[in-house]
Amino acid sequence: MIRILAVAMGTWFLIAPATSFGDESEEARLRARLGPELATQVIEVVQSAAAQGLPTSPLVARALEGASRQASGAAILQAVRRHAAGLVAARRALGPNARPAELDAGAGALLAGVPEDSLVSLKRARPSGSLVIPLIVLSDFVARGIPVVSASSTVLAATRAGAADPALLRMRERINERILRGEAPMGASREGLRELLTKTDPGTAKGNPGREPRERRRP
Amino acid sequence: MDHDDRWDDQVRDAYRRPIAGEERAREQVIARLREEPAPRRSRWSGWWMDPDAIRMRPLLAVASLIMVLGIGAGAGAWWAASRGASIGSPRSTTVVARQTARGIGAFTGATAVTFVFRAPGASRVSLVGDFNGWNPEATPLRRATLGDTWIAEVPLERGLHAYAFVIDGSDWAPDPSAPLAAEASFGRRNSLVVVGEGGPL
């Protein structure tokens, strides 16, 4: 009997942290910051997301952000529900093994109008590396007025070319500088991508989690 | 019938012929095997690996199960609480390793992120984000020697974080040099910083 109990306790200690209700502190924070009725509604959405294996901290963060921005209860609930739907769609596009940060970034991109197909293509372009930076760059482009189609194709082309995360971030900075100088966002993105593909060797930058460095082609 | 066929028949007959004393030989082999000592395991491996029959009163079994589940749930709750408590409660003051080209924005060190923001004329600037529950009182920035530059160092967990600056307690502003979130949930876009995902933003 002692042996059985020892095995059972050991097993439970291993699996309990993963299966227990890990949102107790989040629930307490929501109840402290939101009204009781709104908190209950938000917690329902959060618990539903948790039951689906989705990350819950982005949903809690949206609710707390809305409370700090003094948004109405309806706006807060709508934002949380929209983000939960975005997480579901992001996982559908990025696959069941996508990390929480990828799902969060993917949800943001999808909610801004980026089609799921673009996320699927990004995943194919970088099947094993993190997609957080490409998705953030994509979101930033959309936020700065680059049409969704152009933003998606720019990031996808750079990723397919083996661009490392630092190279993607440099491209983002250059394109933003062009936009700030008054260039049309679409033209700026086209030029930024051209610079990345012609003047740099995207694969040799440090920290490339997606691909091995490519050999530079000689003319 | 040639020579080979005869040879085959002789071999077949030899195999079919009963061996004298076969039954006795079998008994001897079995007896010798019983005399052989069983392979010994160490005390601990035997304790874990040897089969054992367990008899338990059903009431005691239920009580044991409840006890195990209770201890496991308590451990899980403690773990979850400790995880939640880490948010906004710095545990490290690692010095920031590098800075962005402009010196404005967010840059990451080993575990800390330094936020720098220029706000000419501001009397108070604070940082709000996923990491502090979007609480404007939680993370005030300190004024740098440059006067209109404000700075705060915040240890962040690995992952993606949205944030913004709050100027004089009311004006919310994104970080001008950081990537923007595509969606504006509440009318204004947030900035994004990634920790531990292939480089600082």
Side-chain angles (χ1 to χ4, degrees), chain B residues 65-108:
Chain B
L65 184 63
I66 290 172
M67 186 185 73
V68 169
L69 291 176
I71 292 173
W78 170 82
W79 183 81
S82 64
R83 204 174 51 151
S86 68
I87 298 171
S89 55
R91 288 175 296 185
S92 171
T93 54
T94 305
V95 176
V96 170
R98 54 174 295 186
Q99 186 173 349
T100 53
R102 291 178 182 171
I104 305 292
F107 48 93
T108 61

Side-chain angles (χ1 to χ4, degrees), chain A residues 1-9 12-13 16-18 20-25 29 33 61-66 68-69 71 75-76 79 82-83 99 101 104-105 108-109 111-112 130 132-133 136 138-140 142-144 165-166 169 172-173 177 180 206-207 209, chain B residues 46-52 54 56 60 64-65 67-73 75-77 79-81 83-85 87 102 130 132-136 158-160 162 164 172 175-183 185-186 188-190 192-194 197-201:
Chain A
M1 175 186 161
I2 293 174
R3 192 184 315 170
I4 294 292
L5 276 177
V7 171
M9 286 181 73
W12 184 251
F13 268 109
S20 67
F21 182 46
D23 301 329
E24 283 183 19
S25 60
R29 286 197 299 168
R33 296 279 296 278
R62 289 288 74 71
L64 297 179
E65 180 194 355
S68 290
R69 289 186 186 267
I76 291 173
R82 269 173 54 82
H83 205 86
R99 288 180 288 178
D104 195 14
L111 293 176
S130 169
V132 174
I133 299 297
I136 283 178
L138 173 56
S139 295
D140 184 63
V142 174
R144 294 180 194 274
D165 286 346
L169 294 172
R172 182 198 77 85
E173 286 183 5
E177 286 168 3
L180 289 173
K206 281 184 178 178
Chain B
W47 191 82
W48 285 102
M49 301 301 293
D50 287 349
D52 198 0
I54 295 173
M56 184 185 275
L60 186 61
S64 303
L65 184 63
M67 186 185 73
V68 169
L69 291 176
I71 292 173
W79 183 81
R83 204 174 51 151
I87 298 171
R102 291 178 182 171
D130 296 347
N132 66 4
W134 295 88
N135 181 359
R158 180 188 176 93
L160 174 64
W172 289 50
D175 189 332
S177 66
L180 289 172
E183 198 208 13
S185 299
F186 302 103
R188 296 289 297 272
R189 287 194 167 89
N190 297 315
L192 298 172
V193 61
V194 181
E197 289 285 351
L201 274 178

Side-chain angles (χ1 to χ4, degrees), chain B residues 70-155:
Chain B
I71 292 173
W78 170 82
W79 183 81
S82 64
R83 204 174 51 151
S86 68
I87 298 171
S89 55
R91 288 175 296 185
S92 171
T93 54
T94 305
V95 176
V96 170
R98 54 174 295 186
Q99 186 173 349
T100 53
R102 291 178 182 171
I104 305 292
F107 48 93
T108 61
T111 57
V113 178
T114 298
F115 294 88
V116 183
F117 186 64
R118 289 186 66 193
S123 60
R124 187 160 50 99
V125 177
S126 62
L127 176 69
V128 288
D130 296 347
F131 40 82
N132 66 4
W134 295 88
N135 181 359
E137 310 299 326
T139 314
L141 275 71
R142 68 178 186 277
R143 193 192 293 268
T145 51
L146 292 174
D148 58 358
T149 302
W150 298 76
I151 189 166
E153 288 178 13
V154 183

Side-chain angles (χ1 to χ4, degrees), chain A residues 29-40:
Chain A
R29 286 197 299 168
L30 288 171
R31 291 197 186 282
R33 296 279 296 278
L34 309 175
E37 186 181 346
L38 177 60
T40 302

Side-chain angles (χ1 to χ4, degrees), chain A residues 19-104:
Chain A
T19 57
S20 67
F21 182 46
D23 301 329
E24 283 183 19
S25 60
E26 292 179 338
E27 184 177 334
R29 286 197 299 168
L30 288 171
R31 291 197 186 282
R33 296 279 296 278
L34 309 175
E37 186 181 346
L38 177 60
T40 302
Q41 291 173 313
V42 170
I43 288 168
E44 281 179 11
V45 180
V46 171
Q47 286 178 335
S48 172
Q52 297 174 68
L54 295 168
T56 57
S57 53
L59 304 177
V60 175
R62 289 288 74 71
L64 297 179
E65 180 194 355
S68 290
R69 289 186 186 267
Q70 298 179 336
S72 68
I76 291 173
L77 188 58
Q78 185 189 19
V80 173
R81 283 178 173 157
R82 269 173 54 82
H83 205 86
L87 290 171
V88 172
R91 187 169 62 182
R92 190 167 55 233
L94 299 176
N97 296 325
R99 288 180 288 178
E102 288 178 302
L103 293 179
D104 195 14

